[in-house]
Amino acid sequence: MTTTESGRLPRRRLRRGRRRVQEGQATYREVIALGEFRALWSAQGLSLLGDQFAQVALGVLVYQRTESPLITAVVYALTYLPPILGGPLLAGLADRYPRRRVMIVCDVARAVLVGAMALPVMPLPVLCVLLFGVMTLSAPFSAARAALLPDILTGDRYVVGSALQNMTNQGVQLLGFALGGVAILNLGPYRALALDAATFLASALILVAAVRRRPAPARDAEGRPSPLRMAIGGARLVFGDQRLRTLVLIAWLCGFYVVTEGIAVPYAATLTDDEGMLPVVSGLLMAALPTGTVIGAVVFTRYVTPSGRLRVMGWMAMLSCAPLAVCALRPPLLVVLLLWVISGIGGAYQLAANAAFVLCVPDERRGQAFGLVQSGLFAVQGVGILAGGAAAERLGPEPVVALAGVGGLICAALLCPAWARSRDGIIARMRAQAAQTAGATRAS
């Protein structure tokens, strides 16, 4: 290395360090040190763990009673429908009422419903109705949690906290399915459901004890609109603003790359002739995308400045889809795993999109906006998986994954110019917020 080059490196590091200070780049340690965040983090983990327990236990119960794979699959599909419907209609509750209260009421109500499901005398149709209610209540709970988080974590702490929650969600989902099976094996499905009810009560108690009260963001001056009117108002807010519309469409690109998880098993069958190895290869493929997402989240939040994340967000969105196109060449297992991990790393752009979305949404409309976006995420992922599965029946899994990658890459490239027009204004707003937060911290 020449003297000139060695001199440039320290200057670059110094400039990068100044940008991090100027933009208030946060660390995992300072986020975890906040008691309210730890409470929200724990409550979310327990609620999600309870959801997984309920899905596993009910699946076992339905199959034991009917011995029908079709009915079992239909009941399992019920767990995905309520958040899609309930998000736009019920998410506005997180704006009309105090968000902490919304979360507590949802947890207590879900504990009661799951407790009723744990009664052995409950008929199967009633079980399905109760499950539908449990999963419907997850929509306002998630909207309230997502809307409350920016009040607890300001500036770049929000991005770091979101990354930590996303990583925890994936771990809890895997743990929930595994522990759900173990719990059912040792306790039986009814006692496992009772344990599920206890997780919701524990979540509510944590929120009562450790999250402080805040007033409802939206005041009564606007009246009490119906859920349908609130949903329509949320749609107008999100899709009537060019910045928000672009961010939402970029977030919904996940409908392309999630296809890999939906057809991982048939894809694995093309990579191995040994039936005994099929579960192992399938598991590796299904874990590749989440593994990449975790790696991307850590690197993205730790080594890239807040403004840098927004600048590379469009490129990262394209990276989340582009590697999948190589699957058209039918590469071997190790190459496929690498491609899917890289795709997951690109998916870390969702953290930047989420942070920019929070900056652009008024606080009093945040719950409704988040509910709409989350419902859309469920919907595009479901449609992507269904479309991918149907196409794989005719074309085979490799071409379908490649087509999903090309389609996502084209959509991401088309969205990049619109994002570039909004990006600088959002970066300026982010820096102003960071300066304001730093000033308030020094004053206190």
Side-chain angles (χ1 to χ4, degrees), residues 231-265:
I232 294 172
R236 286 174 177 165
L237 169 68
V238 171
F239 294 105
D241 185 306
Q242 188 262 335
R243 300 170 304 168
L244 294 178
R245 183 171 62 250
T246 302
L247 288 167
V248 169
L249 292 176
I250 289 175
W252 286 356
L253 289 172
C254 65
F256 288 99
Y257 56 80
V258 78
V259 168
T260 57
E261 296 184 16
I263 59 174
V265 176

PDB file of all heavy atoms in Angstrom, residues 231-265:
ATOM      1  N   ALA A 231     -60.095   2.120   7.072  1.00  0.00           N
ATOM      2  CA  ALA A 231     -59.300   1.370   6.101  1.00  0.00           C
ATOM      3  C   ALA A 231     -59.158   2.157   4.797  1.00  0.00           C
ATOM      4  O   ALA A 231     -58.070   2.222   4.212  1.00  0.00           O
ATOM      5  CB  ALA A 231     -59.942   0.009   5.841  1.00  0.00           C
ATOM      6  N   ILE A 232     -60.267   2.773   4.355  1.00  0.00           N
ATOM      7  CA  ILE A 232     -60.219   3.572   3.127  1.00  0.00           C
ATOM      8  C   ILE A 232     -59.306   4.786   3.317  1.00  0.00           C
ATOM      9  O   ILE A 232     -58.505   5.138   2.440  1.00  0.00           O
ATOM     10  CB  ILE A 232     -61.639   4.008   2.722  1.00  0.00           C
ATOM     11  CG1 ILE A 232     -62.470   2.782   2.324  1.00  0.00           C
ATOM     12  CG2 ILE A 232     -61.589   5.014   1.575  1.00  0.00           C
ATOM     13  CD1 ILE A 232     -63.929   3.078   2.086  1.00  0.00           C
ATOM     14  N   GLY A 233     -59.398   5.418   4.498  1.00  0.00           N
ATOM     15  CA  GLY A 233     -58.527   6.561   4.780  1.00  0.00           C
ATOM     16  C   GLY A 233     -57.062   6.162   4.807  1.00  0.00           C
ATOM     17  O   GLY A 233     -56.199   6.898   4.316  1.00  0.00           O
ATOM     18  N   GLY A 234     -56.762   4.977   5.381  1.00  0.00           N
ATOM     19  CA  GLY A 234     -55.382   4.500   5.393  1.00  0.00           C
ATOM     20  C   GLY A 234     -54.858   4.231   3.998  1.00  0.00           C
ATOM     21  O   GLY A 234     -53.703   4.546   3.675  1.00  0.00           O
ATOM     22  N   ALA A 235     -55.704   3.659   3.140  1.00  0.00           N
ATOM     23  CA  ALA A 235     -55.297   3.390   1.758  1.00  0.00           C
ATOM     24  C   ALA A 235     -55.020   4.699   1.013  1.00  0.00           C
ATOM     25  O   ALA A 235     -54.055   4.800   0.239  1.00  0.00           O
ATOM     26  CB  ALA A 235     -56.375   2.579   1.046  1.00  0.00           C
ATOM     27  N   ARG A 236     -55.864   5.713   1.250  1.00  0.00           N
ATOM     28  CA  ARG A 236     -55.637   7.006   0.596  1.00  0.00           C
ATOM     29  C   ARG A 236     -54.343   7.642   1.081  1.00  0.00           C
ATOM     30  O   ARG A 236     -53.605   8.252   0.290  1.00  0.00           O
ATOM     31  CB  ARG A 236     -56.816   7.938   0.884  1.00  0.00           C
ATOM     32  CG  ARG A 236     -58.077   7.580   0.100  1.00  0.00           C
ATOM     33  CD  ARG A 236     -59.230   8.453   0.532  1.00  0.00           C
ATOM     34  NE  ARG A 236     -60.432   8.183  -0.263  1.00  0.00           N
ATOM     35  CZ  ARG A 236     -61.647   8.584   0.073  1.00  0.00           C
ATOM     36  NH1 ARG A 236     -61.826   9.300   1.183  1.00  0.00           N
ATOM     37  NH2 ARG A 236     -62.663   8.290  -0.698  1.00  0.00           N
ATOM     38  N   LEU A 237     -54.075   7.514   2.374  1.00  0.00           N
ATOM     39  CA  LEU A 237     -52.842   8.080   2.926  1.00  0.00           C
ATOM     40  C   LEU A 237     -51.623   7.434   2.283  1.00  0.00           C
ATOM     41  O   LEU A 237     -50.702   8.116   1.817  1.00  0.00           O
ATOM     42  CB  LEU A 237     -52.805   7.873   4.443  1.00  0.00           C
ATOM     43  CG  LEU A 237     -51.466   8.162   5.129  1.00  0.00           C
ATOM     44  CD1 LEU A 237     -51.143   9.649   5.079  1.00  0.00           C
ATOM     45  CD2 LEU A 237     -51.477   7.658   6.568  1.00  0.00           C
ATOM     46  N   VAL A 238     -51.609   6.101   2.251  1.00  0.00           N
ATOM     47  CA  VAL A 238     -50.429   5.373   1.784  1.00  0.00           C
ATOM     48  C   VAL A 238     -50.250   5.498   0.279  1.00  0.00           C
ATOM     49  O   VAL A 238     -49.150   5.798  -0.210  1.00  0.00           O
ATOM     50  CB  VAL A 238     -50.523   3.893   2.204  1.00  0.00           C
ATOM     51  CG1 VAL A 238     -49.423   3.066   1.532  1.00  0.00           C
ATOM     52  CG2 VAL A 238     -50.424   3.764   3.724  1.00  0.00           C
ATOM     53  N   PHE A 239     -51.326   5.284  -0.472  1.00  0.00           N
ATOM     54  CA  PHE A 239     -51.187   5.248  -1.926  1.00  0.00           C
ATOM     55  C   PHE A 239     -51.376   6.617  -2.574  1.00  0.00           C
ATOM     56  O   PHE A 239     -51.106   6.778  -3.763  1.00  0.00           O
ATOM     57  CB  PHE A 239     -52.163   4.237  -2.525  1.00  0.00           C
ATOM     58  CG  PHE A 239     -51.839   2.821  -2.136  1.00  0.00           C
ATOM     59  CD1 PHE A 239     -52.595   2.161  -1.189  1.00  0.00           C
ATOM     60  CD2 PHE A 239     -50.745   2.182  -2.688  1.00  0.00           C
ATOM     61  CE1 PHE A 239     -52.283   0.873  -0.810  1.00  0.00           C
ATOM     62  CE2 PHE A 239     -50.428   0.886  -2.322  1.00  0.00           C
ATOM     63  CZ  PHE A 239     -51.193   0.227  -1.377  1.00  0.00           C
ATOM     64  N   GLY A 240     -51.812   7.607  -1.794  1.00  0.00           N
ATOM     65  CA  GLY A 240     -51.921   8.958  -2.325  1.00  0.00           C
ATOM     66  C   GLY A 240     -50.648   9.759  -2.208  1.00  0.00           C
ATOM     67  O   GLY A 240     -50.529  10.842  -2.772  1.00  0.00           O
ATOM     68  N   ASP A 241     -49.668   9.255  -1.457  1.00  0.00           N
ATOM     69  CA  ASP A 241     -48.381   9.922  -1.273  1.00  0.00           C
ATOM     70  C   ASP A 241     -47.327   9.152  -2.074  1.00  0.00           C
ATOM     71  O   ASP A 241     -47.116   7.962  -1.845  1.00  0.00           O
ATOM     72  CB  ASP A 241     -48.023   9.937   0.221  1.00  0.00           C
ATOM     73  CG  ASP A 241     -46.757  10.727   0.514  1.00  0.00           C
ATOM     74  OD1 ASP A 241     -45.727  10.429  -0.111  1.00  0.00           O
ATOM     75  OD2 ASP A 241     -46.789  11.611   1.385  1.00  0.00           O
ATOM     76  N   GLN A 242     -46.670   9.840  -2.985  1.00  0.00           N
ATOM     77  CA  GLN A 242     -45.721   9.162  -3.869  1.00  0.00           C
ATOM     78  C   GLN A 242     -44.592   8.486  -3.089  1.00  0.00           C
ATOM     79  O   GLN A 242     -44.153   7.379  -3.424  1.00  0.00           O
ATOM     80  CB  GLN A 242     -45.150  10.163  -4.879  1.00  0.00           C
ATOM     81  CG  GLN A 242     -44.300   9.530  -5.980  1.00  0.00           C
ATOM     82  CD  GLN A 242     -42.808   9.616  -5.686  1.00  0.00           C
ATOM     83  OE1 GLN A 242     -42.357  10.491  -4.952  1.00  0.00           O
ATOM     84  NE2 GLN A 242     -42.042   8.701  -6.250  1.00  0.00           N
ATOM     85  N   ARG A 243     -44.120   9.132  -2.018  1.00  0.00           N
ATOM     86  CA  ARG A 243     -43.046   8.546  -1.221  1.00  0.00           C
ATOM     87  C   ARG A 243     -43.498   7.255  -0.555  1.00  0.00           C
ATOM     88  O   ARG A 243     -42.815   6.221  -0.633  1.00  0.00           O
ATOM     89  CB  ARG A 243     -42.584   9.538  -0.152  1.00  0.00           C
ATOM     90  CG  ARG A 243     -42.036  10.855  -0.667  1.00  0.00           C
ATOM     91  CD  ARG A 243     -41.858  11.828   0.475  1.00  0.00           C
ATOM     92  NE  ARG A 243     -43.116  12.010   1.211  1.00  0.00           N
ATOM     93  CZ  ARG A 243     -43.233  12.618   2.389  1.00  0.00           C
ATOM     94  NH1 ARG A 243     -42.143  13.088   2.973  1.00  0.00           N
ATOM     95  NH2 ARG A 243     -44.395  12.762   2.972  1.00  0.00           N
ATOM     96  N   LEU A 244     -44.660   7.325   0.106  1.00  0.00           N
ATOM     97  CA  LEU A 244     -45.166   6.143   0.806  1.00  0.00           C
ATOM     98  C   LEU A 244     -45.515   5.034  -0.178  1.00  0.00           C
ATOM     99  O   LEU A 244     -45.248   3.852   0.084  1.00  0.00           O
ATOM    100  CB  LEU A 244     -46.394   6.514   1.644  1.00  0.00           C
ATOM    101  CG  LEU A 244     -46.149   7.466   2.811  1.00  0.00           C
ATOM    102  CD1 LEU A 244     -47.456   7.789   3.521  1.00  0.00           C
ATOM    103  CD2 LEU A 244     -45.157   6.858   3.799  1.00  0.00           C
ATOM    104  N   ARG A 245     -46.113   5.415  -1.294  1.00  0.00           N
ATOM    105  CA  ARG A 245     -46.500   4.405  -2.297  1.00  0.00           C
ATOM    106  C   ARG A 245     -45.267   3.653  -2.795  1.00  0.00           C
ATOM    107  O   ARG A 245     -45.281   2.417  -2.907  1.00  0.00           O
ATOM    108  CB  ARG A 245     -47.219   5.090  -3.455  1.00  0.00           C
ATOM    109  CG  ARG A 245     -47.728   4.126  -4.514  1.00  0.00           C
ATOM    110  CD  ARG A 245     -48.616   4.839  -5.520  1.00  0.00           C
ATOM    111  NE  ARG A 245     -47.925   5.886  -6.255  1.00  0.00           N
ATOM    112  CZ  ARG A 245     -48.158   7.189  -6.098  1.00  0.00           C
ATOM    113  NH1 ARG A 245     -49.084   7.610  -5.250  1.00  0.00           N
ATOM    114  NH2 ARG A 245     -47.495   8.082  -6.807  1.00  0.00           N
ATOM    115  N   THR A 246     -44.205   4.386  -3.065  1.00  0.00           N
ATOM    116  CA  THR A 246     -42.983   3.747  -3.549  1.00  0.00           C
ATOM    117  C   THR A 246     -42.393   2.818  -2.490  1.00  0.00           C
ATOM    118  O   THR A 246     -41.977   1.693  -2.788  1.00  0.00           O
ATOM    119  CB  THR A 246     -41.942   4.808  -3.941  1.00  0.00           C
ATOM    120  OG1 THR A 246     -42.501   5.663  -4.936  1.00  0.00           O
ATOM    121  CG2 THR A 246     -40.676   4.169  -4.472  1.00  0.00           C
ATOM    122  N   LEU A 247     -42.349   3.285  -1.242  1.00  0.00           N
ATOM    123  CA  LEU A 247     -41.793   2.465  -0.162  1.00  0.00           C
ATOM    124  C   LEU A 247     -42.592   1.185   0.043  1.00  0.00           C
ATOM    125  O   LEU A 247     -42.027   0.105   0.257  1.00  0.00           O
ATOM    126  CB  LEU A 247     -41.753   3.277   1.138  1.00  0.00           C
ATOM    127  CG  LEU A 247     -40.694   4.376   1.196  1.00  0.00           C
ATOM    128  CD1 LEU A 247     -40.939   5.308   2.371  1.00  0.00           C
ATOM    129  CD2 LEU A 247     -39.296   3.751   1.303  1.00  0.00           C
ATOM    130  N   VAL A 248     -43.925   1.304  -0.029  1.00  0.00           N
ATOM    131  CA  VAL A 248     -44.764   0.118   0.159  1.00  0.00           C
ATOM    132  C   VAL A 248     -44.555  -0.877  -0.978  1.00  0.00           C
ATOM    133  O   VAL A 248     -44.425  -2.087  -0.749  1.00  0.00           O
ATOM    134  CB  VAL A 248     -46.250   0.529   0.249  1.00  0.00           C
ATOM    135  CG1 VAL A 248     -47.158  -0.699   0.180  1.00  0.00           C
ATOM    136  CG2 VAL A 248     -46.504   1.277   1.549  1.00  0.00           C
ATOM    137  N   LEU A 249     -44.502  -0.389  -2.195  1.00  0.00           N
ATOM    138  CA  LEU A 249     -44.299  -1.290  -3.338  1.00  0.00           C
ATOM    139  C   LEU A 249     -42.929  -1.953  -3.279  1.00  0.00           C
ATOM    140  O   LEU A 249     -42.780  -3.140  -3.621  1.00  0.00           O
ATOM    141  CB  LEU A 249     -44.464  -0.519  -4.646  1.00  0.00           C
ATOM    142  CG  LEU A 249     -45.893  -0.024  -4.940  1.00  0.00           C
ATOM    143  CD1 LEU A 249     -45.916   0.811  -6.215  1.00  0.00           C
ATOM    144  CD2 LEU A 249     -46.866  -1.199  -5.062  1.00  0.00           C
ATOM    145  N   ILE A 250     -41.922  -1.231  -2.809  1.00  0.00           N
ATOM    146  CA  ILE A 250     -40.596  -1.837  -2.638  1.00  0.00           C
ATOM    147  C   ILE A 250     -40.654  -2.917  -1.563  1.00  0.00           C
ATOM    148  O   ILE A 250     -40.069  -3.996  -1.722  1.00  0.00           O
ATOM    149  CB  ILE A 250     -39.552  -0.754  -2.293  1.00  0.00           C
ATOM    150  CG1 ILE A 250     -39.274   0.128  -3.511  1.00  0.00           C
ATOM    151  CG2 ILE A 250     -38.258  -1.386  -1.808  1.00  0.00           C
ATOM    152  CD1 ILE A 250     -38.339   1.290  -3.236  1.00  0.00           C
ATOM    153  N   ALA A 251     -41.359  -2.646  -0.466  1.00  0.00           N
ATOM    154  CA  ALA A 251     -41.486  -3.659   0.593  1.00  0.00           C
ATOM    155  C   ALA A 251     -42.212  -4.897   0.087  1.00  0.00           C
ATOM    156  O   ALA A 251     -41.859  -6.033   0.436  1.00  0.00           O
ATOM    157  CB  ALA A 251     -42.220  -3.063   1.792  1.00  0.00           C
ATOM    158  N   TRP A 252     -43.209  -4.708  -0.762  1.00  0.00           N
ATOM    159  CA  TRP A 252     -43.997  -5.840  -1.253  1.00  0.00           C
ATOM    160  C   TRP A 252     -43.269  -6.668  -2.302  1.00  0.00           C
ATOM    161  O   TRP A 252     -43.793  -7.686  -2.771  1.00  0.00           O
ATOM    162  CB  TRP A 252     -45.326  -5.329  -1.808  1.00  0.00           C
ATOM    163  CG  TRP A 252     -46.291  -4.910  -0.732  1.00  0.00           C
ATOM    164  CD1 TRP A 252     -46.109  -5.031   0.614  1.00  0.00           C
ATOM    165  CD2 TRP A 252     -47.566  -4.290  -0.904  1.00  0.00           C
ATOM    166  NE1 TRP A 252     -47.196  -4.517   1.298  1.00  0.00           N
ATOM    167  CE2 TRP A 252     -48.098  -4.056   0.387  1.00  0.00           C
ATOM    168  CE3 TRP A 252     -48.306  -3.900  -2.019  1.00  0.00           C
ATOM    169  CZ2 TRP A 252     -49.342  -3.469   0.589  1.00  0.00           C
ATOM    170  CZ3 TRP A 252     -49.545  -3.311  -1.823  1.00  0.00           C
ATOM    171  CH2 TRP A 252     -50.066  -3.098  -0.536  1.00  0.00           C
ATOM    172  N   LEU A 253     -42.050  -6.275  -2.674  1.00  0.00           N
ATOM    173  CA  LEU A 253     -41.252  -7.117  -3.561  1.00  0.00           C
ATOM    174  C   LEU A 253     -40.942  -8.474  -2.940  1.00  0.00           C
ATOM    175  O   LEU A 253     -40.552  -9.409  -3.645  1.00  0.00           O
ATOM    176  CB  LEU A 253     -39.928  -6.415  -3.907  1.00  0.00           C
ATOM    177  CG  LEU A 253     -40.008  -5.198  -4.831  1.00  0.00           C
ATOM    178  CD1 LEU A 253     -38.637  -4.522  -4.910  1.00  0.00           C
ATOM    179  CD2 LEU A 253     -40.482  -5.597  -6.216  1.00  0.00           C
ATOM    180  N   CYS A 254     -41.127  -8.579  -1.627  1.00  0.00           N
ATOM    181  CA  CYS A 254     -40.879  -9.868  -0.967  1.00  0.00           C
ATOM    182  C   CYS A 254     -41.758 -10.968  -1.549  1.00  0.00           C
ATOM    183  O   CYS A 254     -41.447 -12.157  -1.415  1.00  0.00           O
ATOM    184  CB  CYS A 254     -41.097  -9.750   0.529  1.00  0.00           C
ATOM    185  SG  CYS A 254     -42.810  -9.394   1.009  1.00  0.00           S
ATOM    186  N   GLY A 255     -42.861 -10.609  -2.196  1.00  0.00           N
ATOM    187  CA  GLY A 255     -43.707 -11.608  -2.829  1.00  0.00           C
ATOM    188  C   GLY A 255     -42.986 -12.384  -3.912  1.00  0.00           C
ATOM    189  O   GLY A 255     -43.396 -13.510  -4.257  1.00  0.00           O
ATOM    190  N   PHE A 256     -41.900 -11.827  -4.455  1.00  0.00           N
ATOM    191  CA  PHE A 256     -41.108 -12.536  -5.469  1.00  0.00           C
ATOM    192  C   PHE A 256     -40.127 -13.501  -4.812  1.00  0.00           C
ATOM    193  O   PHE A 256     -40.101 -14.689  -5.147  1.00  0.00           O
ATOM    194  CB  PHE A 256     -40.356 -11.542  -6.357  1.00  0.00           C
ATOM    195  CG  PHE A 256     -41.239 -10.779  -7.302  1.00  0.00           C
ATOM    196  CD1 PHE A 256     -41.654  -9.484  -7.001  1.00  0.00           C
ATOM    197  CD2 PHE A 256     -41.663 -11.356  -8.487  1.00  0.00           C
ATOM    198  CE1 PHE A 256     -42.474  -8.777  -7.875  1.00  0.00           C
ATOM    199  CE2 PHE A 256     -42.481 -10.654  -9.370  1.00  0.00           C
ATOM    200  CZ  PHE A 256     -42.895  -9.365  -9.058  1.00  0.00           C
ATOM    201  N   TYR A 257     -39.306 -13.003  -3.889  1.00  0.00           N
ATOM    202  CA  TYR A 257     -38.252 -13.880  -3.384  1.00  0.00           C
ATOM    203  C   TYR A 257     -38.730 -14.879  -2.335  1.00  0.00           C
ATOM    204  O   TYR A 257     -38.040 -15.855  -2.045  1.00  0.00           O
ATOM    205  CB  TYR A 257     -37.038 -13.087  -2.884  1.00  0.00           C
ATOM    206  CG  TYR A 257     -37.268 -12.040  -1.820  1.00  0.00           C
ATOM    207  CD1 TYR A 257     -37.392 -12.375  -0.488  1.00  0.00           C
ATOM    208  CD2 TYR A 257     -37.291 -10.684  -2.154  1.00  0.00           C
ATOM    209  CE1 TYR A 257     -37.549 -11.408   0.485  1.00  0.00           C
ATOM    210  CE2 TYR A 257     -37.456  -9.702  -1.198  1.00  0.00           C
ATOM    211  CZ  TYR A 257     -37.582 -10.072   0.128  1.00  0.00           C
ATOM    212  OH  TYR A 257     -37.753  -9.112   1.100  1.00  0.00           O
ATOM    213  N   VAL A 258     -39.933 -14.686  -1.779  1.00  0.00           N
ATOM    214  CA  VAL A 258     -40.464 -15.674  -0.834  1.00  0.00           C
ATOM    215  C   VAL A 258     -40.863 -16.968  -1.538  1.00  0.00           C
ATOM    216  O   VAL A 258     -41.093 -17.997  -0.897  1.00  0.00           O
ATOM    217  CB  VAL A 258     -41.668 -15.078  -0.072  1.00  0.00           C
ATOM    218  CG1 VAL A 258     -42.928 -15.093  -0.940  1.00  0.00           C
ATOM    219  CG2 VAL A 258     -41.920 -15.839   1.229  1.00  0.00           C
ATOM    220  N   VAL A 259     -40.950 -16.927  -2.866  1.00  0.00           N
ATOM    221  CA  VAL A 259     -41.265 -18.136  -3.637  1.00  0.00           C
ATOM    222  C   VAL A 259     -40.295 -19.262  -3.299  1.00  0.00           C
ATOM    223  O   VAL A 259     -40.661 -20.439  -3.301  1.00  0.00           O
ATOM    224  CB  VAL A 259     -41.227 -17.809  -5.147  1.00  0.00           C
ATOM    225  CG1 VAL A 259     -41.259 -19.076  -5.995  1.00  0.00           C
ATOM    226  CG2 VAL A 259     -42.384 -16.903  -5.524  1.00  0.00           C
ATOM    227  N   THR A 260     -39.044 -18.921  -2.974  1.00  0.00           N
ATOM    228  CA  THR A 260     -38.053 -19.949  -2.672  1.00  0.00           C
ATOM    229  C   THR A 260     -38.482 -20.817  -1.493  1.00  0.00           C
ATOM    230  O   THR A 260     -38.290 -22.038  -1.509  1.00  0.00           O
ATOM    231  CB  THR A 260     -36.693 -19.304  -2.351  1.00  0.00           C
ATOM    232  OG1 THR A 260     -36.850 -18.386  -1.259  1.00  0.00           O
ATOM    233  CG2 THR A 260     -36.160 -18.557  -3.550  1.00  0.00           C
ATOM    234  N   GLU A 261     -39.056 -20.203  -0.464  1.00  0.00           N
ATOM    235  CA  GLU A 261     -39.482 -20.973   0.700  1.00  0.00           C
ATOM    236  C   GLU A 261     -40.688 -21.846   0.372  1.00  0.00           C
ATOM    237  O   GLU A 261     -40.818 -22.963   0.880  1.00  0.00           O
ATOM    238  CB  GLU A 261     -39.810 -20.023   1.858  1.00  0.00           C
ATOM    239  CG  GLU A 261     -38.606 -19.237   2.363  1.00  0.00           C
ATOM    240  CD  GLU A 261     -38.939 -18.368   3.568  1.00  0.00           C
ATOM    241  OE1 GLU A 261     -39.987 -18.587   4.186  1.00  0.00           O
ATOM    242  OE2 GLU A 261     -38.147 -17.466   3.871  1.00  0.00           O
ATOM    243  N   GLY A 262     -41.573 -21.354  -0.480  1.00  0.00           N
ATOM    244  CA  GLY A 262     -42.793 -22.090  -0.791  1.00  0.00           C
ATOM    245  C   GLY A 262     -42.553 -23.355  -1.588  1.00  0.00           C
ATOM    246  O   GLY A 262     -43.312 -24.323  -1.460  1.00  0.00           O
ATOM    247  N   ILE A 263     -41.507 -23.356  -2.440  1.00  0.00           N
ATOM    248  CA  ILE A 263     -41.269 -24.550  -3.262  1.00  0.00           C
ATOM    249  C   ILE A 263     -39.908 -25.165  -2.936  1.00  0.00           C
ATOM    250  O   ILE A 263     -39.283 -25.819  -3.778  1.00  0.00           O
ATOM    251  CB  ILE A 263     -41.380 -24.234  -4.769  1.00  0.00           C
ATOM    252  CG1 ILE A 263     -40.376 -23.153  -5.186  1.00  0.00           C
ATOM    253  CG2 ILE A 263     -42.780 -23.817  -5.129  1.00  0.00           C
ATOM    254  CD1 ILE A 263     -40.371 -22.927  -6.696  1.00  0.00           C
ATOM    255  N   ALA A 264     -39.456 -24.983  -1.690  1.00  0.00           N
ATOM    256  CA  ALA A 264     -38.156 -25.523  -1.286  1.00  0.00           C
ATOM    257  C   ALA A 264     -38.129 -27.045  -1.373  1.00  0.00           C
ATOM    258  O   ALA A 264     -37.121 -27.629  -1.783  1.00  0.00           O
ATOM    259  CB  ALA A 264     -37.814 -25.060   0.129  1.00  0.00           C
ATOM    260  N   VAL A 265     -39.218 -27.693  -0.985  1.00  0.00           N
ATOM    261  CA  VAL A 265     -39.226 -29.163  -0.979  1.00  0.00           C
ATOM    262  C   VAL A 265     -39.154 -29.730  -2.396  1.00  0.00           C
ATOM    263  O   VAL A 265     -38.293 -30.580  -2.679  1.00  0.00           O
ATOM    264  CB  VAL A 265     -40.458 -29.701  -0.217  1.00  0.00           C
ATOM    265  CG1 VAL A 265     -40.498 -31.229  -0.302  1.00  0.00           C
ATOM    266  CG2 VAL A 265     -40.420 -29.263   1.242  1.00  0.00           C
TER     267      VAL A 265
END
